[in-house]
Amino acid sequence: MDIRQLKTFWTLASTRNFSRTAESLNYVPSTVTMQIKALEEELGIKLLDRLGKSVVLTDAGRRFLPYANKILNDVEEARHAASQSGELTGTVVIGADETLCTYRLPALLRLFRERYPHVRLLFRPLSSHNLKQSLREGNADVVFILDEPAVSADLHTELLLDEPFLMVVSPDHPLASRSTLSIEDFHREHMLLSEKGCSYRTYFYRTLLRKGADSLTELEFNSAETIKQCAMMGLGIALLPEMAIKGEVERGELIALPWDLSEIRFATQMLWHQEKWISPSIRAFMELAGNVLKRSS
């Protein structure tokens, strides 16, 4: 096997698509197919299956991926050590959910690109329940999650920033002018919620039910920005992290309801696998992420 084959396999495992892999590596699709076939023949195992236009790793492919990743990282480290310029090179694969992609990470990614122009960033937006798995399967180097602080047996977790939540409505909503609320005020209201499986949606909904709420009508969305826009249009009550709605609340476009959410403690967190070798480029990204996001407000 050679480095090009391993890089092609690693990229294909990340994109799950032959055309995108070819475009990313400046190959024609047939070159990707040829290199994967040659790698499979040399290893004597099938690394992936094609399902329509998408690619799925086999069990053997998932087991092989961390080793391919380590070899590529070692090569990057060697190139960096031998480089006369001393400039960081290599690739960093990042994963995050939609909310953090939109409201926390753009400034970080721009600053990293300015400081380390020769490091290639691959960004993978993922649903919340797939983020930790992407680390365990070697598909991402670092992921960011918005969740309750937690400890994992195989993942390192760095808590970066506590994220308060607000319950908000449009200025013309019937509850917007209330100075106090009881659980009965939520009966038969339309709740604008994130998709099932989202940790803060699950926690919030459990809390309302525990306090006696019933007859709630749920409208489910997979985007915090969509929830915000629907709330501003008067479609219902939204629960969102303050980072997503701070400007709208300050301008009076959304009204924060007087409902105690102090028991909901969620935070922006950075995770990476305990067994992963951290290359100089990944280390630089993690250090910058810690500095930038801990200063966010």
Side-chain angles (χ1 to χ4, degrees):
M1 71 184 77
D2 63 32
I3 296 301
R4 288 176 302 171
Q5 292 172 351
L6 292 176
K7 190 171 184 179
T8 298
F9 168 68
W10 179 86
T11 305
L12 186 57
S14 297
T15 65
R16 305 297 175 101
N17 182 280
F18 273 84
S19 296
R20 288 201 295 272
T21 297
E23 182 180 356
S24 174
L25 296 175
N26 250 353
Y27 293 156
V28 295
S30 59
T31 301
V32 175
T33 301
M34 179 183 64
Q35 289 189 1
I36 295 299
K37 183 179 180 181
L39 182 59
E40 289 179 327
E41 288 177 352
E42 182 167 351
L43 294 172
I45 56 176
K46 188 172 179 60
L47 296 171
L48 52 89
D49 290 315
R50 288 198 190 199
L51 300 178
K53 294 184 178 180
S54 60
V55 171
V56 177
L57 293 180
T58 63
D59 289 340
R62 284 192 291 271
R63 290 193 298 270
F64 180 68
L65 182 59
Y67 294 97
N69 185 63
K70 185 178 185 306
I71 292 169
L72 292 172
N73 282 335
D74 287 344
V75 170
E76 287 179 11
E77 184 184 26
R79 285 174 177 166
H80 175 66
S83 172
Q84 293 182 352
S85 67
E87 293 183 344
L88 284 183
T89 59
T91 301
V92 182
V93 184
I94 310 150
D97 64 24
E98 180 269 341
T99 302
L100 295 179
C101 289
T102 304
Y103 301 107
R104 285 291 181 222
L105 296 186
L108 166 63
L109 300 181
R110 182 184 65 182
L111 183 58
F112 184 81
R113 190 61 62 86
E114 290 172 354
R115 291 192 181 181
Y116 305 102
H118 300 292
V119 176
R120 185 162 173 255
L121 288 175
L122 285 181
F123 187 75
R124 303 188 66 196
L126 295 166
S127 59
S128 300
H129 60 277
N130 287 328
L131 285 167
K132 293 180 182 179
Q133 194 60 27
S134 71
L135 294 176
R136 294 183 174 112
E137 294 179 353
N139 294 329
D141 299 318
V142 182
V143 302
F144 297 88
I145 65 172
L146 177 61
D147 206 340
E148 298 176 271
V151 177
S152 174
D154 58 344
L155 302 177
H156 283 296
T157 302
E158 182 176 352
L159 193 152
L160 300 175
L161 187 66
D162 284 321
E163 301 286 5
F165 276 71
L166 296 174
M167 195 183 298
V168 294
V169 295
S170 65
D172 57 357
H173 190 279
L175 299 181
S177 60
R178 300 283 296 276
S179 59
T180 61
L181 293 173
S182 67
I183 196 65
E184 288 76 18
D185 292 316
F186 295 103
H187 292 174
R188 291 176 293 280
E189 287 291 345
H190 289 80
M191 305 301 298
L192 311 179
L193 299 173
S194 51
E195 60 185 333
K196 285 183 173 66
C198 173
S199 54
Y200 63 80
R201 173 240 171 93
T202 302
Y203 189 92
F204 169 68
Y205 198 68
R206 270 202 320 262
T207 300
L208 282 184
L209 292 178
R210 191 168 62 245
K211 292 182 178 180
D214 60 15
S215 303
L216 297 178
T217 301
E218 302 175 29
L219 298 177
E220 184 177 309
F221 305 90
N222 60 7
S223 163
E225 185 65 25
T226 303
I227 294 173
K228 177 171 68 175
Q229 294 299 324
C230 288
M232 291 170 64
M233 293 295 293
L235 295 183
I237 303 171
L239 175 79
L240 288 168
E242 186 180 45
M243 63 174 153
I245 51 177
K246 185 176 181 180
E248 287 77 10
V249 171
E250 290 175 349
R251 294 190 297 269
E253 297 167 356
L254 286 170
I255 304 298
L257 295 180
W259 187 257
D260 183 16
L261 295 172
S262 59
E263 63 182 281
I264 299 180
R265 187 185 175 223
F266 281 75
T268 292
Q269 300 163 74
M270 178 168 61
L271 282 70
W272 64 97
H273 202 284
Q274 291 184 2
E275 296 180 359
K276 180 175 180 58
W277 178 78
I278 305 300
S279 69
S281 55
I282 296 173
R283 176 65 61 191
F285 178 81
M286 291 167 58
E287 290 176 353
L288 186 63
N291 292 333
V292 170
L293 295 179
K294 286 178 180 178
R295 293 199 307 265
S296 301
S297 60

